[in-house]
Amino acid sequence: MEEFQRIILVHYHEIGLKGRNRGVFEKRLQKNLEALLGAFPVVTIHRISGRLLVFLREGTGHDEANACADAILGVPGVARVSCGFKCEREMAIMGQAAVAALTDAGAFESFKVSARRNHTDFEIDSMQMNRDIGEVLCEAFPDKAVKMKDPDITVGVEVVQNAVYVYARSIRGIGGLPVGSSGRVVALLSSGIDSPVALWRMARRGAVPIGVHFSGRPQTADTSEFLVDDIAHVLERTGCIARVYVVPFGDYQREISIGCPPSLRVILYRRLMFKVAEEIARRERAGALVTGESLGQVASQTLENIAATNDAVTLPVLRPLIGSDKLEIIDQAQQLGTFDISSMDAPDCCTLFMPRNPETHAKLDEVREAEAKFPIADWVQALADAAEPHDYRCPAYKPRK
């Protein structure tokens, strides 16, 4: 059988719904993939009629091609990834390529052929291609059934101007928009389960996420910082995090815990965190803050307390998990690959100087009065200046000068 060059077709859905600026989104996704696939034998990536086409180096094996495809699946903006071959526009050769693609596709019991031609200079129409290539596959796989509705595998055959692309292994991606197509956001990032998922959801909507981690250091060990770094390394595999600022927050929490009513400590901690995150967002020219809050999950996430923390800043505060329950968030963290890291115990600012009975229905006037006793504006500048940046691989991010 003839040796064919391996290709990967990258399909997208939401990008295809864009209007005149669709090309901007396509180019952003293309650049992200080019940067993120550096470890794989990629020759080039082209845009073709509503998809991206990844050409792999000649001689690339089955396992390496599948590993490259699997790496693409988690990149925001990718709706589906299909592995296959490039071949000449001759029916006999196309049939051989279809056999090779179906052989590589894994276990199956039923299949069908879905062919189309993008150029009418190829004289054989799609219906005839379906019949002819289907006949070749039936001879090659006599124990498999042809099933026109809901087959196990669909063999795609796409005839373009100078070549044919044939594929069978096709897997659904995460969809969304390419990172870098929706501006920047600053996300409060702990080592817990929720906030990495919230940050990832914003990346999937095209934002470039910049994390801010409030460490209990020097009042606690710096364990949480190492866990957040591990989480960021998971997220950077698909270009979903650009930078993390680590803010040593423990001494300021101690000052607040000494000088305010115990029930309001958590609210004042969070207001100061929001203000510092907003200052970092200003310096990064980000358009919003992001948190991992879910309504009613803990004492600080009641409607009244959310309003009290929102009052501390002027930037929009996005809460992509606000309507999710814990089991849903855990499930997504497991899929994302951050759950095991987040499940490790680590002392951080969230557990430092916690009151026995935190306020669940804060009154804004009382919160403002308690906060007025502290030099908040000076603290915000000092904490933002002390923030330690750690950069990660995000093709869409360029540090502000």
Side-chain angles (χ1 to χ4, degrees):
M1 183 177 288
E2 186 170 334
E3 188 81 15
F4 301 105
Q5 182 179 12
R6 291 185 181 272
I7 55 95
I8 299 173
L9 276 170
V10 179
H11 313 257
Y12 45 78
H13 171 66
E14 194 166 348
I15 294 174
L17 302 178
K18 300 297 179 182
R20 294 179 180 177
N21 62 345
R22 170 174 161 177
V24 175
F25 289 84
E26 291 175 333
K27 288 178 182 177
R28 182 69 266 167
L29 179 58
Q30 181 177 355
K31 289 180 179 178
N32 290 352
L33 290 177
E34 288 170 346
L36 293 169
L37 297 179
F40 296 96
V42 174
V43 177
T44 187
I45 302 176
H46 290 166
R47 288 191 292 157
I48 60 159
S49 60
R51 276 144 302 158
L52 298 179
L53 181 59
V54 180
F55 289 93
L56 299 179
R57 191 180 303 124
E58 290 189 17
T60 299
H62 168 268
D63 292 344
E64 198 168 16
N66 284 352
C68 183
D70 291 344
I72 296 171
L73 288 172
V75 176
V78 175
R80 182 167 289 277
V81 177
S82 303
C83 295
F85 300 97
K86 174 187 175 182
C87 71
E88 297 176 22
R89 300 200 316 173
E90 295 182 16
M91 288 303 300
I93 295 176
M94 290 160 59
Q96 292 179 32
V99 171
L102 194 51
T103 301
D104 277 1
F108 69 98
E109 294 301 324
S110 61
F111 71 93
K112 76 172 183 179
V113 179
S114 177
R116 70 173 184 172
R117 55 179 183 174
N118 292 339
H119 290 271
T120 54
D121 63 341
F122 188 72
E123 64 278 7
I124 303 174
D125 64 24
S126 58
M127 294 297 291
Q128 188 63 46
M129 283 192 285
N130 287 340
R131 286 191 290 268
D132 291 351
I133 294 174
E135 184 177 346
V136 172
L137 293 175
C138 286
E139 291 177 1
F141 301 91
D143 58 333
K144 306 302 181 183
V146 175
K147 190 176 179 182
M148 301 310 294
K149 186 175 182 181
D150 298 325
D152 294 334
I153 292 180
T154 297
V155 178
V157 180
E158 301 200 14
V159 181
V160 296
Q161 192 165 12
N162 299 310
V164 179
Y165 305 117
V166 184
Y167 55 91
R169 182 179 185 259
S170 190
I171 306 173
R172 185 175 180 179
I174 65 166
L177 298 172
V179 174
S181 60
S182 300
R184 297 183 179 189
V185 297
V186 165
L188 279 70
L189 182 63
S190 75
S191 60
I193 295 170
D194 301 347
S195 58
V197 176
L199 182 151
W200 175 82
R201 285 195 182 181
M202 295 310 303
R204 187 174 172 272
R205 297 311 308 153
V208 175
I210 297 164
V212 179
H213 176 62
F214 291 92
S215 170
R217 173 164 51 97
Q219 298 293 328
T220 68
D222 57 0
T223 312
S224 68
E225 299 172 32
F226 292 101
L227 295 182
V228 165
D229 181 60
D230 288 343
I231 288 168
H233 280 302
V234 171
L235 294 167
E236 78 166 341
R237 293 173 192 164
T238 50
C240 288
I241 191 166
R243 170 177 281 185
V244 174
Y245 287 91
V246 175
V247 180
F249 197 61
D251 285 345
Y252 295 85
Q253 281 188 271
R254 183 175 181 276
E255 291 297 315
I256 291 172
S257 71
I258 293 171
C260 86
S263 64
L264 294 180
R265 284 179 193 172
V266 175
I267 301 297
L268 294 194
Y269 297 159
R270 291 192 66 76
R271 283 174 64 92
L272 181 56
M273 289 178 191
F274 275 41
K275 287 177 181 290
V276 174
E278 184 177 51
E279 174 59 22
I280 291 173
R282 183 189 67 78
R283 299 179 185 189
E284 287 280 357
R285 299 181 190 174
L289 304 182
V290 179
T291 79
E293 292 165 298
S294 173
L295 185 62
Q297 187 165 271
V298 295
S300 64
Q301 296 173 16
T302 63
L303 287 175
E304 293 89 345
N305 288 3
I306 287 173
T309 50
N310 276 4
D311 173 73
V313 295
T314 57
L315 276 181
V317 181
L318 308 179
R319 295 176 170 87
L321 306 183
I322 196 68
S324 301
D325 65 35
K326 196 67 176 183
L327 291 178
E328 292 171 327
I329 299 168
I330 288 173
D331 182 60
Q332 198 149 65
Q334 289 172 330
Q335 295 175 33
L336 188 57
T338 57
F339 177 76
D340 289 342
I341 302 169
S342 297
S343 298
M344 297 180 187
D345 290 331
D348 63 9
C349 69
C350 296
T351 57
L352 187 60
F353 305 121
M354 288 292 288
R356 287 186 178 181
N357 298 300
E359 178 62 66
T360 56
H361 302 287
K363 295 179 175 59
L364 193 53
D365 290 344
E366 294 177 2
V367 171
R368 289 173 176 169
E369 182 180 351
E371 186 180 69
K373 300 174 183 178
F374 304 102
I376 296 296
D378 293 340
W379 284 2
V380 169
Q381 292 302 315
L383 283 164
D385 289 343
E388 303 157 5
H390 301 265
D391 287 333
Y392 300 89
R393 182 182 59 172
C394 179
Y397 177 74
K398 292 182 180 179
R400 299 289 187 184
K401 296 181 180 180

